[in-house]
Structure formats: structure tokens, C-alpha cells
Amino acid sequence: MAPQSSIQFLEAALWCTGPFELSYTDPEQKWHIRKDMLSLLQDFPNLRPSMDTYFHNDGTTVNLLNACGTIHVSTSSPQVPLTIWLHENYPYVAPIVFVGLPGMAPSPTIHRSHPFVDPTGLIASPYIRTWQFPRCKLKDLVHNLVKLFSLDHPFSCSPASSPSAHPSGASKKEALDRLAGMLHYDIVALRSVTDEEVEELLALQQEMDRRVAIVTAIVQGLERERRALRDRAAQLAEEADVLINWLKVHDLKRAAATGDDGIDDVFEGADEESKWRLHCLAADHSIEDTIDVLDEAVAEGVVNVEDYIRQVRILAREQFHHRAVEVKFETSRQL
């Protein structure tokens, strides 16, 4: 049975009026609160009832009843301080439970990735998230927390077993709690890997953006150079046209400069004999140049020796013919 002092405190607090009146208005609700609190204090004598102002996240303030103290979870781990606030709509709304005591900051050793306790100490266990009256009871909630914290203690210094222990032999509720813890840690691990991959991809994207900026600057520079070269080419073409037009007007031998006529027409023989001698002389020099090229080809191994000898014989015969004609013209001129 709960201590007599706790019973008297509950009765005085629930039916108190004035500035310290609690935010529970329904008499039936107060009887439910009294019964559940006495049942809780009977199972967990380390908890003590109290009343204080509670600040909701939306800024509203209410006067609520709470039970605070420590609970024993296992012989190998430290006790867990708890503060259980009874919501103004209790028992239809789940209690608000924190790891820690009023006026005491949450323990710095709370797991940052604990599946059921956030860094502020607020507990969000499956039992609380699925709270439904009258199936759920206040004392059953604390018993459930004892089992949860024996599997995964909220303090990092806890030597308690991992929540990944095999759930065989456990009740359906315990198995679901263990499964929720395992899924939470799997999600935390997956989120960690995903965050690393996202950071790597962001770094890669930044590097790609940097390279794109460099390539874009290079392309833009090349485009400016291309336009400048195109303009310069057009300017040189205009200047060339001006120069060619000037040569056509002022140079009587513009054919050699502009290529309008054949270069051979610049040198003409005075008569038939001069034309033949000029032709033979040109042929003789061209054959001599061809033989020189064949010599280089043989030395480099481009032409084999047999082909070289055959071509040289043909060219030598033709060269001999042209030189004989030149000698004939030279002899007749001397006579």
C-alpha cells in the first residue's frame, strides 16, 4: 500500500482550490488519477507525488500532478531518475515522462541515439506512443520502462545488454519493444552512412561546379579568340584584295605575283631552236632531281634496289636523249 503521507498529499492536491488548483476539472478524472497514482506508488515506492507548473511547447502553462524519483532496472546498471507528469487530459492522453528530476538538467550521458529517449530526456516509448485508455495503465507504463531500460539503458555508462538480444521467450509487447529498438539503431546506422554519402556527393558536386566554371571560362576565352581571329582574317582578306587590285593596276608583271597566268609564260624562247633548247634543259634538270630523290628513297629503304636500278636506267636513257639534243644544237650554233 502507498504511504499514508502520499495518500493525504494526493487528496489535498486534487481537491485544492485557489491559485494552486490543478488543471484537472472533472471529478471522475480526479478519481482515476488518485487510483492510478496510488497504484504506481505502491509498485514503485521510490517515486514521490508532487505538483508544479508545466510549460507546454506552445507556450501554455498548466498546474499538473507529477511523480518523481528513481526506478531500479537491473543490478548491473545505475538507477534511472524519472519525472512523470500527468497531462491535463489524463487518462485519455498519455503521461509526459522525462529522464531526470525537476530542477535537474538531463544527464549528459544519455545516449544521443537512444531509441526511446531524446537528448532533452523526453521519453517516447512505444507504450506512450500507442497509449489508449482504459487498456493502458500508469503503473504498467513504468513497468514497461523498466524492461526497456534493462535492455537499453539511457545512460552510456550502462553495462546492460544490447537491444539486439534475441527476443525468443519474451512477451509480445517486449518483443515489439526490442524490435522497435533494433529498427531504430538500424535506421541510425543507415542515416549515418547516408549522411556520409550525401557529404561526399555534395563535395563532388562542388568540385564539378568548380571544374564547370573553369571549363566555361576556357570555352568563353577560346570563343573570344575565335571571333578575334575571324575578324583578323576578314581584315587581312580585305587588305589582300586591296593589294591585288593595286598590283593589277601598277605592276605589268602581275601574272607572276597573282597566279593569273602560268609561270612558264614568263620565259619564252625567241625561235623554235631556243624553245627546244629550253625544253631539253628543263627536262634534264627535272630528271636529275628525280634521280636524287630516288637515291634518298633507296637510302631510307622506301624503294628496293631492283626498282631503283630499273627507274634510273629509264631516266638515264631519257636524260641522255635530252643532252644529246642540247649538244647537237650547241654544235650547229658554233658552225
Side-chain angles (χ1 to χ4, degrees), residues 203-218:
L204 179 60
Q205 182 180 3
Q206 292 176 355
E207 179 63 19
M208 293 296 294
D209 291 341
R210 186 183 69 83
R211 296 186 180 185
V212 166
I214 293 174
V215 172
T216 301
I218 293 174

Side-chain angles (χ1 to χ4, degrees), residues 280 318-330:
C280 291
E318 185 178 352
Q319 186 181 36
F320 176 78
H321 171 70
H322 289 301
R323 288 185 178 181
V325 173
E326 292 180 29
V327 171
K328 180 180 177 180
F329 280 125
E330 183 65 24

Side-chain angles (χ1 to χ4, degrees), residues 31-43:
W31 281 109
H32 276 297
I33 292 175
R34 180 182 182 278
K35 181 182 67 173
D36 290 352
M37 283 290 288
L38 292 177
S39 179
L40 172 67
L41 298 176
Q42 182 177 353
D43 287 3

Side-chain angles (χ1 to χ4, degrees), residues 85-130:
W85 294 87
L86 298 188
H87 195 277
E88 61 266 27
N89 294 321
Y90 181 88
Y92 300 100
V93 176
I96 306 168
V97 188
F98 288 90
V99 173
L101 299 176
M104 182 185 76
S107 173
T109 56
I110 292 178
H111 284 315
R112 294 185 59 185
S113 58
H114 195 281
F116 308 123
V117 184
D118 69 11
T120 67
L122 179 65
I123 298 176
S125 66
Y127 196 96
I128 294 176
R129 290 197 297 265
T130 59

